[in-house]
Amino acid sequence: MIAPSQNSVAVPAKDNPFATFRTDSLAFRFPAGQWPEQLNRLAALNFRAAIVGAQGTGKTTLLNELSLKLRDLGFKPVLARASAALVQDLLARIEPNQIILLDSAEQLPRPLWWKLVWRTRRRCGLVVTVHRRCLLPNWVKCTASLDLARDLLRELGLSDLDAATLASAFARHRGNIRDLFRSLYDDFASGTLT
């Protein structure tokens, strides 16, 4: 059982079960359906939709996976993190068959956000990640749960993490899986968990 350690022995980064190269390989889990159904739903929305959820619930992971799926389907996904300069550049060079995938769209100034939605509506797809409903219809609502955290830990090979330790850490990070993993990384790195 993985539990708090009495003997603090630091774990090298490459051996840490929460190393970025391990956690970044975890796939997004849809609340309902799988990729074929979800892509059909997105197509029905004309590839114009929002991925909504709190921080650390998988929005960016889903957006990254969507980029690969769209490329496999013959689209031209443009994956970017929201910034005013980048959006202005994207609007200046929209191409046919292009789908803009914009992470953290709520960070854009409101006038630019409206311009992006308006100028792309007949010219290309637009899928964004946001924390709450926006001008685009919801495609996926991302949520985190203690069960999801347990499933992800199993996939990382850590099914024996002490249940009370996990529940406490999950509550402390208010369901933010990314912050939970960072915290557990630090705990393993310092030797406070073994």
Side-chain angles (χ1 to χ4, degrees), residues 119-156:
R119 294 259 321 268
T120 59
R121 69 188 171 102
R122 288 197 175 104
R123 299 170 67 195
C124 71
L126 176 64
V127 179
V128 300
T129 67
V130 290
H131 292 144
R132 58 188 166 279
R133 288 190 61 89
C134 65
L135 296 171
L136 298 170
N138 284 0
W139 173 46
V140 174
K141 181 163 175 46
C142 297
T143 59
S145 67
L146 192 52
D147 287 338
L148 173 62
R150 277 192 207 99
D151 288 347
L152 295 171
L153 288 172
R154 269 190 226 105
E155 192 171 327
L156 290 170

Short mmCIF file of all heavy atoms in Angstrom, two decimals, residues 119-156:
data_model
loop_
_atom_site.label_atom_id
_atom_site.label_comp_id
_atom_site.label_asym_id
_atom_site.label_seq_id
_atom_site.Cartn_x
_atom_site.Cartn_y
_atom_site.Cartn_z
N ARG A 119 -16.54 36.23 -37.11
CA ARG A 119 -15.76 36.11 -38.35
C ARG A 119 -15.53 34.67 -38.77
O ARG A 119 -15.27 34.40 -39.95
CB ARG A 119 -14.41 36.82 -38.21
CG ARG A 119 -14.50 38.32 -38.04
CD ARG A 119 -14.23 39.15 -39.27
NE ARG A 119 -13.19 38.74 -40.16
CZ ARG A 119 -11.92 39.13 -40.11
NH1 ARG A 119 -11.51 39.95 -39.17
NH2 ARG A 119 -11.07 38.71 -41.01
N THR A 120 -15.59 33.72 -37.86
CA THR A 120 -15.35 32.32 -38.22
C THR A 120 -16.64 31.56 -38.49
O THR A 120 -16.59 30.45 -39.01
CB THR A 120 -14.60 31.59 -37.08
OG1 THR A 120 -15.37 31.64 -35.88
CG2 THR A 120 -13.22 32.17 -36.86
N ARG A 121 -17.79 32.14 -38.23
CA ARG A 121 -19.03 31.37 -38.24
C ARG A 121 -19.36 30.70 -39.57
O ARG A 121 -19.96 29.63 -39.58
CB ARG A 121 -20.20 32.19 -37.73
CG ARG A 121 -20.64 33.28 -38.60
CD ARG A 121 -21.68 34.16 -37.90
NE ARG A 121 -21.93 35.32 -38.71
CZ ARG A 121 -22.97 35.46 -39.48
NH1 ARG A 121 -23.89 34.54 -39.51
NH2 ARG A 121 -23.10 36.54 -40.21
N ARG A 122 -18.99 31.29 -40.68
CA ARG A 122 -19.27 30.64 -41.98
C ARG A 122 -17.99 30.21 -42.69
O ARG A 122 -18.06 29.65 -43.77
CB ARG A 122 -20.05 31.62 -42.87
CG ARG A 122 -21.46 31.80 -42.40
CD ARG A 122 -22.32 32.41 -43.47
NE ARG A 122 -23.69 32.46 -43.02
CZ ARG A 122 -24.30 33.56 -42.61
NH1 ARG A 122 -23.66 34.71 -42.60
NH2 ARG A 122 -25.55 33.51 -42.22
N ARG A 123 -16.85 30.50 -42.08
CA ARG A 123 -15.59 30.27 -42.77
C ARG A 123 -14.81 29.07 -42.27
O ARG A 123 -14.03 28.48 -43.00
CB ARG A 123 -14.74 31.53 -42.68
CG ARG A 123 -15.44 32.72 -43.35
CD ARG A 123 -14.77 34.01 -43.09
NE ARG A 123 -13.46 34.09 -43.70
CZ ARG A 123 -12.55 34.98 -43.38
NH1 ARG A 123 -12.80 35.88 -42.47
NH2 ARG A 123 -11.39 34.99 -43.99
N CYS A 124 -14.97 28.72 -40.98
CA CYS A 124 -14.20 27.59 -40.45
C CYS A 124 -14.81 27.13 -39.13
O CYS A 124 -15.67 27.79 -38.57
CB CYS A 124 -12.73 27.96 -40.25
SG CYS A 124 -12.40 29.11 -38.92
N GLY A 125 -14.33 25.99 -38.66
CA GLY A 125 -14.77 25.48 -37.36
C GLY A 125 -14.07 26.23 -36.23
O GLY A 125 -13.00 26.81 -36.42
N LEU A 126 -14.66 26.16 -35.06
CA LEU A 126 -14.09 26.81 -33.87
C LEU A 126 -14.50 26.01 -32.65
O LEU A 126 -15.69 25.90 -32.33
CB LEU A 126 -14.59 28.25 -33.76
CG LEU A 126 -14.16 29.03 -32.52
CD1 LEU A 126 -12.65 29.23 -32.49
CD2 LEU A 126 -14.88 30.38 -32.46
N VAL A 127 -13.53 25.43 -31.97
CA VAL A 127 -13.78 24.71 -30.73
C VAL A 127 -12.89 25.34 -29.67
O VAL A 127 -11.69 25.50 -29.88
CB VAL A 127 -13.47 23.20 -30.86
CG1 VAL A 127 -13.73 22.48 -29.55
CG2 VAL A 127 -14.30 22.57 -31.99
N VAL A 128 -13.49 25.72 -28.56
CA VAL A 128 -12.77 26.44 -27.51
C VAL A 128 -12.92 25.73 -26.17
O VAL A 128 -13.88 25.00 -25.95
CB VAL A 128 -13.26 27.90 -27.39
CG1 VAL A 128 -13.08 28.66 -28.70
CG2 VAL A 128 -14.71 27.96 -26.93
N THR A 129 -11.96 25.99 -25.28
CA THR A 129 -12.14 25.57 -23.89
C THR A 129 -12.44 26.82 -23.08
O THR A 129 -11.83 27.88 -23.28
CB THR A 129 -10.89 24.88 -23.32
OG1 THR A 129 -9.81 25.81 -23.22
CG2 THR A 129 -10.47 23.68 -24.16
N VAL A 130 -13.42 26.70 -22.19
CA VAL A 130 -13.83 27.80 -21.32
C VAL A 130 -14.27 27.22 -19.97
O VAL A 130 -14.55 26.03 -19.86
CB VAL A 130 -14.99 28.62 -21.94
CG1 VAL A 130 -14.53 29.43 -23.14
CG2 VAL A 130 -16.16 27.72 -22.32
N HIS A 131 -14.36 28.09 -18.99
CA HIS A 131 -14.79 27.64 -17.66
C HIS A 131 -16.30 27.65 -17.49
O HIS A 131 -16.82 26.98 -16.60
CB HIS A 131 -14.13 28.50 -16.58
CG HIS A 131 -12.66 28.28 -16.50
ND1 HIS A 131 -11.78 29.28 -16.21
CD2 HIS A 131 -11.91 27.18 -16.69
CE1 HIS A 131 -10.55 28.80 -16.22
NE2 HIS A 131 -10.61 27.53 -16.52
N ARG A 132 -17.01 28.43 -18.30
CA ARG A 132 -18.47 28.46 -18.20
C ARG A 132 -19.06 28.68 -19.60
O ARG A 132 -18.35 29.01 -20.54
CB ARG A 132 -18.94 29.54 -17.23
CG ARG A 132 -18.49 30.93 -17.57
CD ARG A 132 -18.83 31.91 -16.45
NE ARG A 132 -18.14 33.16 -16.61
CZ ARG A 132 -16.89 33.40 -16.25
NH1 ARG A 132 -16.17 32.46 -15.71
NH2 ARG A 132 -16.34 34.58 -16.44
N ARG A 133 -20.36 28.51 -19.70
CA ARG A 133 -21.04 28.64 -20.99
C ARG A 133 -20.62 29.92 -21.70
O ARG A 133 -20.33 30.93 -21.06
CB ARG A 133 -22.55 28.65 -20.78
CG ARG A 133 -23.10 27.29 -20.39
CD ARG A 133 -24.60 27.27 -20.42
NE ARG A 133 -25.14 27.56 -21.73
CZ ARG A 133 -25.38 26.64 -22.67
NH1 ARG A 133 -25.12 25.38 -22.45
NH2 ARG A 133 -25.90 27.00 -23.83
N CYS A 134 -20.61 29.85 -23.03
CA CYS A 134 -20.20 31.01 -23.83
C CYS A 134 -21.11 31.13 -25.05
O CYS A 134 -22.18 30.56 -25.07
CB CYS A 134 -18.73 30.85 -24.22
SG CYS A 134 -18.43 29.45 -25.31
N LEU A 135 -20.66 31.85 -26.05
CA LEU A 135 -21.46 32.08 -27.26
C LEU A 135 -21.64 30.82 -28.12
O LEU A 135 -22.49 30.80 -29.00
CB LEU A 135 -20.80 33.16 -28.12
CG LEU A 135 -20.73 34.55 -27.50
CD1 LEU A 135 -19.86 35.46 -28.37
CD2 LEU A 135 -22.11 35.12 -27.34
N LEU A 136 -20.83 29.82 -27.88
CA LEU A 136 -20.90 28.58 -28.66
C LEU A 136 -21.65 27.52 -27.86
O LEU A 136 -21.63 27.53 -26.63
CB LEU A 136 -19.48 28.08 -28.96
CG LEU A 136 -18.62 29.01 -29.81
CD1 LEU A 136 -17.17 28.53 -29.83
CD2 LEU A 136 -19.16 29.13 -31.22
N PRO A 137 -22.30 26.58 -28.56
CA PRO A 137 -22.99 25.51 -27.83
C PRO A 137 -21.98 24.60 -27.12
O PRO A 137 -20.85 24.43 -27.59
CB PRO A 137 -23.73 24.74 -28.94
CG PRO A 137 -23.03 25.09 -30.20
CD PRO A 137 -22.44 26.45 -30.01
N ASN A 138 -22.40 24.03 -25.99
CA ASN A 138 -21.54 23.09 -25.28
C ASN A 138 -21.41 21.80 -26.07
O ASN A 138 -22.42 21.25 -26.53
CB ASN A 138 -22.11 22.75 -23.90
CG ASN A 138 -21.91 23.86 -22.90
OD1 ASN A 138 -21.33 24.89 -23.21
ND2 ASN A 138 -22.38 23.63 -21.70
N TRP A 139 -20.19 21.32 -26.20
CA TRP A 139 -19.96 20.01 -26.80
C TRP A 139 -19.75 19.00 -25.68
O TRP A 139 -20.43 18.00 -25.59
CB TRP A 139 -18.75 20.07 -27.75
CG TRP A 139 -18.33 18.72 -28.28
CD1 TRP A 139 -19.14 17.75 -28.80
CD2 TRP A 139 -17.00 18.22 -28.35
NE1 TRP A 139 -18.40 16.66 -29.18
CE2 TRP A 139 -17.08 16.93 -28.92
CE3 TRP A 139 -15.76 18.71 -27.99
CZ2 TRP A 139 -15.94 16.14 -29.14
CZ3 TRP A 139 -14.64 17.93 -28.22
CH2 TRP A 139 -14.73 16.66 -28.79
N VAL A 140 -18.82 19.28 -24.77
CA VAL A 140 -18.53 18.39 -23.66
C VAL A 140 -18.41 19.23 -22.39
O VAL A 140 -17.79 20.29 -22.41
CB VAL A 140 -17.21 17.61 -23.88
CG1 VAL A 140 -16.85 16.79 -22.65
CG2 VAL A 140 -17.31 16.71 -25.11
N LYS A 141 -19.01 18.75 -21.32
CA LYS A 141 -18.82 19.36 -20.00
C LYS A 141 -17.87 18.46 -19.23
O LYS A 141 -18.19 17.30 -18.95
CB LYS A 141 -20.14 19.51 -19.27
CG LYS A 141 -19.96 20.16 -17.91
CD LYS A 141 -21.27 20.67 -17.36
CE LYS A 141 -21.20 21.22 -15.97
NZ LYS A 141 -20.17 22.09 -15.61
N CYS A 142 -16.70 18.99 -18.90
CA CYS A 142 -15.68 18.23 -18.19
C CYS A 142 -15.90 18.35 -16.69
O CYS A 142 -16.09 19.45 -16.18
CB CYS A 142 -14.29 18.75 -18.54
SG CYS A 142 -13.87 18.57 -20.28
N THR A 143 -15.87 17.23 -16.02
CA THR A 143 -15.97 17.21 -14.57
C THR A 143 -14.95 16.21 -14.02
O THR A 143 -14.52 15.31 -14.73
CB THR A 143 -17.38 16.81 -14.09
OG1 THR A 143 -17.68 15.51 -14.60
CG2 THR A 143 -18.43 17.79 -14.54
N ALA A 144 -14.60 16.40 -12.78
CA ALA A 144 -13.68 15.46 -12.12
C ALA A 144 -14.39 14.88 -10.91
O ALA A 144 -15.27 15.51 -10.32
CB ALA A 144 -12.42 16.18 -11.70
N SER A 145 -14.03 13.67 -10.57
CA SER A 145 -14.59 13.01 -9.40
C SER A 145 -13.48 12.18 -8.75
O SER A 145 -12.44 11.91 -9.37
CB SER A 145 -15.75 12.10 -9.80
OG SER A 145 -15.26 11.02 -10.58
N LEU A 146 -13.74 11.77 -7.54
CA LEU A 146 -12.78 10.91 -6.85
C LEU A 146 -12.64 9.58 -7.60
O LEU A 146 -11.54 9.03 -7.69
CB LEU A 146 -13.23 10.68 -5.40
CG LEU A 146 -12.24 10.04 -4.45
CD1 LEU A 146 -10.89 10.75 -4.46
CD2 LEU A 146 -12.81 10.01 -3.04
N ASP A 147 -13.74 9.08 -8.17
CA ASP A 147 -13.67 7.84 -8.96
C ASP A 147 -12.77 8.02 -10.19
O ASP A 147 -11.99 7.12 -10.53
CB ASP A 147 -15.07 7.39 -9.41
CG ASP A 147 -15.89 6.83 -8.26
OD1 ASP A 147 -15.29 6.40 -7.25
OD2 ASP A 147 -17.13 6.83 -8.38
N LEU A 148 -12.89 9.17 -10.86
CA LEU A 148 -12.02 9.44 -12.00
C LEU A 148 -10.56 9.48 -11.55
O LEU A 148 -9.69 8.90 -12.20
CB LEU A 148 -12.39 10.76 -12.67
CG LEU A 148 -11.45 11.25 -13.77
CD1 LEU A 148 -11.42 10.26 -14.93
CD2 LEU A 148 -11.85 12.63 -14.25
N ALA A 149 -10.29 10.14 -10.43
CA ALA A 149 -8.92 10.19 -9.92
C ALA A 149 -8.40 8.78 -9.65
O ALA A 149 -7.25 8.46 -10.01
CB ALA A 149 -8.86 11.04 -8.65
N ARG A 150 -9.22 7.92 -9.06
CA ARG A 150 -8.81 6.53 -8.81
C ARG A 150 -8.51 5.80 -10.12
O ARG A 150 -7.53 5.07 -10.22
CB ARG A 150 -9.90 5.79 -8.04
CG ARG A 150 -9.87 6.00 -6.58
CD ARG A 150 -10.79 5.00 -5.85
NE ARG A 150 -11.22 5.61 -4.63
CZ ARG A 150 -12.39 6.22 -4.44
NH1 ARG A 150 -13.28 6.28 -5.39
NH2 ARG A 150 -12.69 6.76 -3.28
N ASP A 151 -9.38 5.99 -11.13
CA ASP A 151 -9.16 5.34 -12.44
C ASP A 151 -7.83 5.78 -13.06
O ASP A 151 -7.08 4.97 -13.60
CB ASP A 151 -10.30 5.65 -13.40
CG ASP A 151 -11.59 4.93 -13.06
OD1 ASP A 151 -11.56 4.00 -12.22
OD2 ASP A 151 -12.63 5.31 -13.63
N LEU A 152 -7.56 7.08 -12.99
CA LEU A 152 -6.31 7.60 -13.55
C LEU A 152 -5.10 7.05 -12.80
O LEU A 152 -4.08 6.71 -13.40
CB LEU A 152 -6.32 9.12 -13.54
CG LEU A 152 -7.37 9.78 -14.44
CD1 LEU A 152 -7.44 11.29 -14.17
CD2 LEU A 152 -7.09 9.50 -15.90
N LEU A 153 -5.22 6.94 -11.49
CA LEU A 153 -4.13 6.38 -10.69
C LEU A 153 -3.89 4.92 -11.05
O LEU A 153 -2.74 4.47 -11.15
CB LEU A 153 -4.42 6.51 -9.20
CG LEU A 153 -4.33 7.93 -8.65
CD1 LEU A 153 -4.82 7.97 -7.21
CD2 LEU A 153 -2.92 8.46 -8.75
N ARG A 154 -4.98 4.17 -11.26
CA ARG A 154 -4.83 2.77 -11.69
C ARG A 154 -4.07 2.69 -13.01
O ARG A 154 -3.21 1.86 -13.20
CB ARG A 154 -6.20 2.11 -11.85
CG ARG A 154 -6.68 1.45 -10.59
CD ARG A 154 -7.92 0.60 -10.83
NE ARG A 154 -8.84 0.94 -9.76
CZ ARG A 154 -9.91 1.70 -9.86
NH1 ARG A 154 -10.27 2.18 -11.02
NH2 ARG A 154 -10.66 1.97 -8.82
N GLU A 155 -4.42 3.59 -13.92
CA GLU A 155 -3.74 3.60 -15.22
C GLU A 155 -2.26 3.95 -15.07
O GLU A 155 -1.42 3.48 -15.85
CB GLU A 155 -4.42 4.58 -16.17
CG GLU A 155 -3.95 4.41 -17.59
CD GLU A 155 -4.76 5.21 -18.58
OE1 GLU A 155 -5.97 5.39 -18.38
OE2 GLU A 155 -4.15 5.66 -19.58
N LEU A 156 -1.93 4.75 -14.07
CA LEU A 156 -0.52 5.08 -13.79
C LEU A 156 0.17 3.98 -13.00
O LEU A 156 1.35 4.09 -12.69
CB LEU A 156 -0.43 6.40 -13.00
CG LEU A 156 -0.79 7.66 -13.78
CD1 LEU A 156 -0.90 8.85 -12.82
CD2 LEU A 156 0.23 7.94 -14.87
#
